[in-house]
Amino acid sequence: MYHSQLLSSICIPCAVLLQPKKSWSSSNSKAGTTIGDCTKVPRNVNLEKLRSGYLFPEISRRESEYMQKNPDASLIRLGIGDTTQPIPDIITLAMAEQVRGLSTIQGYRGYGAEQGNMALRKAIAGKIYQDMGIKADEIFVSDGAQCDISRLQMLLGANVTVALQDPSFPAYIDSSVIVGQAGEFDDETGKYGNLIYMNCGPENNFFPDLSTTPRTDVIFFCSPNNPTGHAATRQQLKQLVAFAKANGSIIVYDSAYAAYITDESPRSIFEIPGAKEVAIEISSFSKFAGFTGVRLGWTVVPEELVYSNGFPVIKDFNRIVCTCFNGASNIAQAGGLACLSTDGYQALRNVIDYYMENAKILVDAFSSLGLSVYGGKNAPYIWVHFPGLCSWNVFSEILEKTNIVTVPGRGFGPGGEEYIRVSAFGQRQRILEASRRLKKISID
């Protein structure tokens, strides 16, 4: 049991992300001056339905506010899941060579294919989807999985019904709101009226009860899950695919953390027979290769996936990509090819092992407090339960008592209340220091 003085059990109104945005006018209420004449263009009503700031900028805002008040604090950032280890030389050298080539007649390249460099698409098919029957033509290289979530929402449109894990990565919900799928927000439940929230907690092994889940057109599913760190088992994914086939639904499967899986859990939805008829998969080099700033990802749209009228989904997604995207940077794609080479892939495995050792250290630290700790085995995230407490209060108290930044679980949906997410991305010495600080907390 954690010490009662560490975390107050009184849940103050802390769900800032659930507060409606204030109404705007053409006047500056503080200065009493006019900002400017209004246009006659109405604001997008869907954007008005969004809660306040997106989760991670809100974390950064609170962190900055804390540092202004405590400029000498030695802050350890275990909140936003940004990678910290340098990209291996074999990969950066490939990108540098590409850059140098751009200054020569022979090496200069302009626009590439919107779908991506065919050599990279073939490498992804061969390395990531070996023996799964995924063809290079079904792979669309992009500037990251989060961008592809929005492109898929544009593809699907406003009239589809949507289910998603609760808790889940905020971009699924926010993009659903922006495109017009979500309906009105209910302040009492913390949910949007038209979205189906599939509870995924320890009580059901982080997998929804599909027997009570209503049919929807689209199912967003992330494995290993962000934020809980749970990787769905083969049996669980078989149930999911069977459920989608029975209901004629499309699964949008996010496998951005698949490289961190250490057991026999599937790394792709396409390991499951029949998945190509009901699933799209998005993935990324961001967390796998440290490309959070380089920006490179991909989406797989199988040729077998068709709409209710028999039209292939891949043709529409290709049109979306060609209309809204000019292709990923050829420099980033050169790095992606190096990542998938034999030596490059091994170098990245070493970095992943480093982060997973960090995760083990953090799991041990929180477990020593007598808390229930999840994740950290198949993903670089640790999901820690503080029963009965408001997660924003927990976030604030940990920041104030230990100078450690985490993420409140409530930011991932109502199912995340009472939890915090802790990232294992960090330098080892900082992770060890965080562990020492946490273990100094008094225990009953």
Side-chain angles (χ1 to χ4, degrees):
M1 173 145 335
Y2 44 87
H3 198 282
S4 60
Q5 292 181 349
L6 171 66
L7 298 166
S8 170
S9 61
I10 300 174
C11 184
I12 61 173
C14 57
V16 171
L17 300 181
L18 300 182
Q19 299 297 326
K21 280 187 175 290
K22 296 179 180 179
S23 298
W24 288 90
S25 69
S26 60
S27 297
N28 184 319
S29 60
K30 289 185 178 180
T33 58
T34 301
I35 293 175
D37 292 335
C38 292
T39 70
K40 295 182 180 180
V41 180
R43 188 183 179 202
N44 182 333
V45 294
N46 294 322
L47 289 172
E48 291 181 357
K49 295 176 183 178
L50 285 171
R51 298 305 88 193
S52 190
Y54 186 68
L55 174 62
F56 300 113
E58 176 66 18
I59 297 294
S60 295
R61 185 192 69 78
R62 293 189 181 214
E63 177 187 313
S64 297
E65 186 178 85
Y66 180 78
M67 289 304 297
Q68 287 176 3
K69 295 178 180 178
N70 304 275
D72 297 326
S74 176
L75 207 63
I76 298 179
R77 296 173 176 85
L78 303 180
I80 297 171
D82 195 1
T83 50
T84 58
Q85 286 300 102
I87 299 171
D89 282 350
I90 189 173
I91 297 164
T92 56
L93 287 173
M95 290 190 281
E97 183 177 348
Q98 181 74 21
V99 171
R100 287 196 298 269
L102 292 175
S103 64
T104 68
I105 292 294
Q106 297 80 9
Y108 177 76
R109 297 290 183 274
Y111 288 123
E114 292 91 344
Q115 302 83 357
N117 180 328
M118 183 52 73
L120 178 56
R121 298 166 79 188
K122 288 179 177 178
I124 293 170
K127 191 74 173 182
I128 307 298
Y129 298 102
Q130 188 177 14
D131 301 325
M132 298 181 208
I134 297 298
K135 299 185 285 289
D137 288 341
E138 298 171 312
I139 296 170
F140 295 79
V141 177
S142 73
D143 51 348
Q146 187 159 347
C147 300
D148 278 344
I149 290 170
S150 295
R151 292 185 189 112
L152 287 171
Q153 291 284 33
M154 185 181 296
L155 170 82
L156 297 165
N159 296 323
V160 297
T161 53
V162 172
L164 41 81
Q165 292 160 292
D166 183 26
S168 68
F169 183 50
Y172 311 140
I173 293 176
D174 283 8
S175 62
S176 294
V177 175
I178 291 170
V179 80
Q181 301 161 346
E184 299 299 326
F185 186 78
D186 186 325
D187 288 300
E188 185 173 339
T189 64
K191 298 179 180 180
Y192 286 92
N194 292 346
L195 299 180
I196 299 300
Y197 292 73
M198 303 185 297
N199 180 54
C200 295
E203 68 279 1
N204 58 5
N205 197 23
F206 296 98
F207 188 76
D209 181 357
L210 296 178
S211 68
T212 61
T213 302
R215 183 213 173 264
T216 58
D217 297 314
V218 180
I219 303 168
F220 280 97
F221 198 91
C222 179
S223 180
N225 179 265
N226 178 10
T228 68
H230 175 75
T233 66
R234 189 169 302 276
Q235 185 57 38
Q236 287 175 337
L237 291 185
K238 285 182 178 179
Q239 292 178 40
L240 183 64
V241 168
F243 180 76
K245 289 177 75 71
N247 287 291
S249 305
I250 293 177
I251 301 165
V252 177
Y253 189 84
D254 186 342
S255 64
Y257 298 93
Y260 289 84
I261 292 176
T262 59
D263 59 19
E264 298 303 313
S265 301
R267 297 190 176 195
S268 168
I269 191 68
F270 299 121
E271 293 185 36
I272 308 303
K276 288 194 287 184
E277 299 170 14
V278 295
I280 294 169
E281 182 163 303
I282 53 177
S283 200
S284 172
F285 286 85
S286 288
K287 309 303 168 66
F288 154 54
F291 275 29
T292 51
V294 176
R295 308 308 306 150
L296 192 66
W298 71 88
T299 290
V300 180
V301 185
E303 293 175 351
E304 292 91 332
L305 183 66
V306 297
Y307 296 110
S308 58
N309 65 357
F311 191 82
V313 175
I314 190 172
K315 291 188 176 181
D316 274 355
F317 189 66
N318 186 64
R319 179 60 184 268
I320 293 288
V321 168
C322 291
T323 301
C324 304
F325 187 52
N326 274 335
S329 159
N330 50 27
I331 300 165
Q333 291 188 78
L337 269 171
C339 290
L340 299 176
S341 69
T342 299
D343 291 341
Y345 197 79
Q346 182 54 54
L348 292 176
R349 291 303 322 167
N350 294 337
V351 176
I352 289 170
D353 290 344
Y354 179 94
Y355 289 136
M356 293 310 292
E357 181 62 27
N358 284 351
K360 183 178 182 300
I361 293 168
L362 292 170
V363 167
D364 290 345
F366 281 103
S367 297
S368 74
L369 302 178
L371 296 164
S372 295
V373 184
Y374 307 94
K377 178 182 178 183
N378 288 318
Y381 295 126
I382 296 89
W383 190 238
V384 189
H385 192 202
F386 292 81
L389 299 183
C390 170
S391 62
W392 276 103
N393 283 355
V394 175
F395 163 86
S396 296
E397 291 287 343
I398 289 179
L399 179 59
E400 291 168 7
K401 301 295 183 181
T402 68
N403 292 334
I404 296 173
V405 178
T406 60
V407 179
R410 190 63 180 80
F412 298 98
E417 191 61 282
E418 301 184 356
Y419 290 86
I420 60 165
R421 192 199 76 176
V422 184
S423 169
F425 294 120
Q427 300 295 332
R428 180 63 47 79
Q429 287 305 117
R430 301 297 282 166
I431 296 293
L432 290 170
E433 173 59 24
S435 175
R436 284 191 287 269
R437 293 182 191 180
L438 289 166
K439 288 180 177 179
K440 288 180 180 179
I441 295 171
S442 299
I443 300 175
D444 289 339

